[in-house]
Amino acid sequence: RKEVEQDPGPFNVPEGATVAFNCTYSNSASQSFFWYRQDCRKEPKLLMSVYSSGNEDGRFTAQLNRASQYISLLIRDSKLSDSATYLCVVKGNNFNKFYFGSGTKLNVKP
Amino acid sequence: DAGVIQSPRHEVTEMGQEVTLRCKPISGHDYLFWYRQTMMRGLELLIYFNNNVPIDDSGMPEDRFSAKMPNASFSTLKIQPSEPRDSAVYFCASSLGQRTTNEKLFFGSGTQLSVL
């Protein structure tokens, strides 16, 4: 079983739409959680960390549900520039081992 | 800050040849990671170092792969002999190894490896 599972998509949405991604993780002892963004043919870059209480950064909201072992990312008022692959990342109980989901592709259309 | 620097950006080689990928982490970062990305398997952790010492190499696919970190500013990933199934993008990443809950990985631009 994979450490982190995501729906690969693609999610095709119009500009201005709200879109949500989920991912699940298998290790209940995982410590830290993140969303990374990867543009085509580029390296992954940190989008935001995910806190137990939930956190927001502009149009982006991340939530963590430890009981159900899933993480979510909500994007409001989608922009064309949001088109990318969104990677769910979990840091395991081995302190510095980061596990990446396979990514969810988002296409925002005009 | 120059960020994580990888070379070469692209490498095309023939099956059986030796391939060496290079990485310079961000100065002051004491963790270095090598990842491989393919369409089929996504991002896979191959090996990581702490203070130049290999900590976990369980992701290295087989003996053909080896990695070294002779000093804090340089690491190599070597494949010998290379095979077509090694074709992928290889990323190097570094981080500050503090025991915090919100650690960030900084990635290099990657090396696109094609083995013919």
Side-chain angles (χ1 to χ4, degrees):
Chain A
R1 183 183 174 186
K2 288 185 179 179
E3 293 279 345
V4 182
E5 303 253 20
Q6 290 183 255
D7 180 346
F11 285 59
N12 298 308
V13 303
E15 269 188 294
T18 295
V19 62
F21 310 134
N22 291 328
C23 90
T24 57
Y25 60 95
S26 60
N27 188 343
S28 60
S30 297
Q31 296 178 355
S32 308
F33 310 88
F34 311 88
W35 284 101
Y36 276 68
R37 170 190 169 132
Q38 186 173 25
D39 292 293
C40 188
R41 300 187 184 279
K42 299 284 190 181
E43 72 274 20
K45 293 183 179 177
L46 179 66
L47 177 66
M48 60 196 301
S49 302
V50 186
Y51 306 119
S52 296
S53 54
N55 49 299
E56 190 173 307
D57 183 2
R59 298 182 292 108
F60 298 83
T61 300
Q63 297 270 354
L64 167 65
N65 185 319
R66 283 190 183 271
S68 301
Q69 294 180 210
Y70 81 79
I71 307 150
S72 65
L73 177 68
L74 182 79
I75 306 175
R76 290 181 298 277
D77 189 22
S78 301
K79 311 291 185 191
L80 294 175
S81 57
D82 294 334
S83 296
T85 296
Y86 291 83
L87 301 163
C88 178
V89 184
V90 173
K91 191 161 79 171
N93 54 354
N94 179 331
F95 173 61
N96 250 323
K97 209 161 180 177
F98 293 77
Y99 296 96
F100 283 75
S102 55
T104 298
K105 188 168 175 57
L106 172 66
N107 296 316
V108 181
K109 309 285 190 183
Chain B
D1 197 335
V4 177
I5 299 173
Q6 288 186 248
S7 65
R9 288 296 305 274
H10 300 91
E11 177 79 31
V12 181
T13 190
E14 292 188 347
M15 185 172 63
Q17 296 298 306
E18 177 179 297
V19 175
T20 299
L21 311 181
R22 297 172 177 80
C23 175
K24 176 178 165 53
I26 293 173
S27 177
H29 282 192
D30 50 2
Y31 280 84
L32 183 141
F33 305 79
W34 282 101
Y35 283 88
R36 176 172 70 176
Q37 187 172 36
T38 60
M39 288 292 291
M40 290 295 294
R41 301 174 69 89
L43 264 166
E44 302 173 279
L45 177 64
L46 301 177
I47 185 171
Y48 79 91
F49 296 82
N50 176 214
N51 292 324
N52 315 337
V53 176
I55 302 301
D56 187 333
D57 65 355
S58 59
M60 296 284 261
E62 48 198 272
D63 292 345
R64 297 184 298 105
F65 285 69
S66 62
K68 293 181 179 179
M69 192 164 185
N71 58 62
S73 59
F74 184 65
S75 177
T76 59
L77 177 68
K78 187 175 291 187
I79 309 172
Q80 166 62 20
S82 57
E83 296 182 3
R85 61 194 168 117
D86 301 331
S87 298
V89 180
Y90 290 81
F91 286 105
C92 175
S94 69
S95 74
L96 267 173
Q98 298 172 354
R99 289 195 173 268
T100 66
T101 58
N102 297 311
E103 196 46 40
K104 298 178 186 180
L105 280 176
F106 293 85
F107 283 83
S109 301
T111 295
Q112 173 76 60
L113 174 64
S114 298
V115 183
L116 307 177

